């Protein structure tokens, strides 16, 4: 059972491939991933989270924050989707071969380096949003999990997660091209809940529900009108989460369940 003392660093290390553990980025990956998991699992508390989208099980909250006059509103979304697992959710989010299928804000995506089976470096150029300049991002992406235990209750630590976090890449210096560099820290986390009715028999897709948490902080890196940016986020985040989860449902519906 998870306690305030859960040592996420240790759990993440246990799940990581050797190639990731040996990489110079590892200490940063471990620190950021642990911090993202901790904050994703934290309730909304008394913070100034405002609910700005509610659509069935999907709820999206934001805090209005500006840094140097730029909107950097943290986003926290929760969702529940029947029929998919946390592992499947994070698989389709992490692996580059699916990205163009579901990422609506993408112009181009390049794998800069595949460090390991569970860590990839990306350069992405996003679609231009009028009247601001086009944006790009360089980030590492890490896929991790804490194994399922007997007790798949909500407070047990089992989960799958993909974390994306900006990193400077000498091969792709910021503002080297026409784009303004954005800085992002994002986690997509999924916990699989199995209906007690499935006990003692083969689990069917109807018996599983994925509890999803998605948190994002994006710094637009340069001038972008606040009102336009907030309007873009209000439209794009729900669109992303609905489209992406529908995509995972469609891709997995006839496949064996991957717990
Ligand atoms: O998490 C998401 N996608 C991941 C894989 O692509 C990745 C990407 C994050 C980038 C999100 C920023 C896109 C918005 C770019 C426009 C910025 C400002 C323009 C100025 C407008 C006035 O982690 C899903 C991302 C869903 C994005 C809404």
């Amino acid at each position: 059972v998870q306690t305030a003392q859960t040592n996420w660093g240790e759990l993440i290390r246990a799940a990581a491939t050797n190639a990731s553990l040996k990489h110079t980025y590892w200490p940063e990956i471990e620190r950021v991933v642990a911090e993202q998991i901790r904050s994703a699992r934290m309730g909304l508390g008394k913070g100034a989270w405002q609910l700005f989208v509610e659509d069935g099980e999907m709820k999206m909250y934001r805090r209005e924050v500006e840094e140097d006059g730029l909107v950097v509103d943290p986003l926290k979304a929760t969702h529940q989707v029947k029929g998919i697992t946390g592992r499947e959710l994070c698989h389709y989010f992490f692996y580059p071969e699916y990205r163009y299928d579901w990422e609506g804000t993408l112009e181009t995506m390049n794998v800069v380096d595949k460090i390991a089976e569970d860590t990839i470096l990306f350069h992405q150029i996003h679609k231009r949003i009028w009247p601001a300049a086009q944006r790009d991002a360089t980030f590492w992406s890490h896929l991790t999990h804490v194994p399922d235990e007997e007790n798949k209750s909500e407070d047990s630590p089992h989960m799958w997660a993909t974390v994306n976090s900006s990193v400077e890449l000498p091969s792709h210096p910021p503002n080297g091209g026409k784009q303004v560099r954005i800085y992002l820290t994002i986690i997509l986390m999924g916990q699989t809940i199995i209906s007690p009715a499935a006990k003692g028999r083969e689990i069917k897709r109807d018996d599983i529900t994925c509890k999803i948490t998605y948190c994002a902080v994006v710094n637009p890196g340069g001038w972008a009108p606040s009102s336009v940016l907030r309007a873009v986020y209000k439209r794009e985040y729900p669109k992303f989460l609905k489209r992406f989860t529908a995509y995972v449902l469609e891709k997995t519906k006839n496949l064996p369940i991957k717990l």
Side-chain angles (χ1 to χ4, degrees):
V1 168
Q2 184 195 3
T3 66
Q5 278 79 45
T6 300
N7 187 337
W8 291 105
E10 198 175 297
L11 296 172
I12 296 158
R13 229 175 298 137
T17 59
N18 274 329
S20 286
L21 293 169
K22 278 196 300 217
H23 199 273
T24 49
Y25 288 167
W26 180 257
E28 189 205 316
I29 294 174
E30 186 181 301
R31 180 183 60 79
V32 176
V33 173
E35 172 194 288
Q36 288 299 305
I37 293 174
R38 227 174 273 124
S39 76
R41 295 177 69 108
M42 212 149 59
L44 293 158
K46 291 196 214 58
W49 291 102
Q50 341 169 331
L51 181 69
F52 73 101
V53 173
E54 191 167 8
D55 185 345
E57 289 294 336
M58 185 172 81
K59 292 187 182 66
M60 295 197 158
Y61 304 83
R62 67 156 188 232
R63 278 192 291 124
E64 294 198 359
V65 178
E66 293 185 20
E67 270 169 26
D68 304 323
L70 298 178
V71 168
V72 293
D73 298 357
L75 170 106
K76 182 161 189 157
T78 57
H79 197 5
Q80 287 202 35
V81 176
K82 217 176 152 171
I84 59 173
T85 68
R87 181 178 185 178
E88 292 163 341
L89 182 89
C90 292
H91 174 94
Y92 291 99
F93 189 73
F94 176 73
Y95 288 103
E97 55 267 43
Y98 310 112
R99 192 144 315 152
Y100 284 111
D101 294 347
W102 58 264
E103 175 58 278
T105 72
L106 211 56
E107 183 99 32
T108 60
M109 174 217 60
N110 278 299
V111 172
V112 177
D113 190 9
K114 187 166 179 186
I115 292 176
E117 199 45 50
D118 54 352
T119 307
I120 301 176
L121 298 183
F122 290 97
H123 175 237
Q124 292 191 166
I125 301 178
H126 290 270
K127 285 183 180 151
R128 178 172 180 241
I129 297 165
W130 185 90
Q134 190 166 44
R135 264 48 183 185
D136 75 344
T138 52
F139 58 94
W140 53 254
S141 185
H142 182 66
L143 175 66
T144 188
H145 72 286
V146 173
D148 279 1
E149 298 169 342
E150 277 304 295
N151 162 27
K152 291 189 181 64
S153 70
E154 290 187 22
D155 41 318
S156 106
H158 83 272
M159 53 93 213
W160 282 79
T162 297
V163 175
N164 295 342
S165 181
S166 282
V167 65
E168 301 268 330
L169 301 177
S171 56
H172 297 75
N175 313 324
K178 308 190 289 285
Q179 297 88 20
V180 173
R181 178 63 47 89
I182 59 170
Y183 297 92
L184 56 93
T185 313
I186 284 171
I187 180 168
L188 177 71
M189 186 176 85
Q191 273 180 286
T192 311
I193 310 291
I194 302 175
S195 152
K199 216 179 165 91
R201 61 161 167 83
E202 196 195 347
I203 299 167
K204 301 207 174 55
R205 290 214 172 261
D206 254 2
D207 302 318
I208 56 177
T209 301
C210 187
K211 274 197 56 177
I212 302 169
T213 307
Y214 174 82
C215 303
V217 181
V218 178
N219 184 317
W223 181 82
S226 301
S227 60
V228 180
L229 203 51
R230 288 198 168 111
V232 167
Y233 290 159
K234 193 169 175 174
R235 185 183 71 221
E236 294 298 327
Y237 280 121
K239 202 162 123 189
F240 148 66
L241 203 53
K242 277 181 91 164
R243 183 176 174 184
F244 175 69
T245 50
Y247 175 73
V248 178
L249 268 167
E250 181 58 31
K251 289 292 271 191
T252 54
K253 67 177 185 203
N254 296 317
L255 296 179
I257 298 168
K258 276 188 130 185
L259 280 175

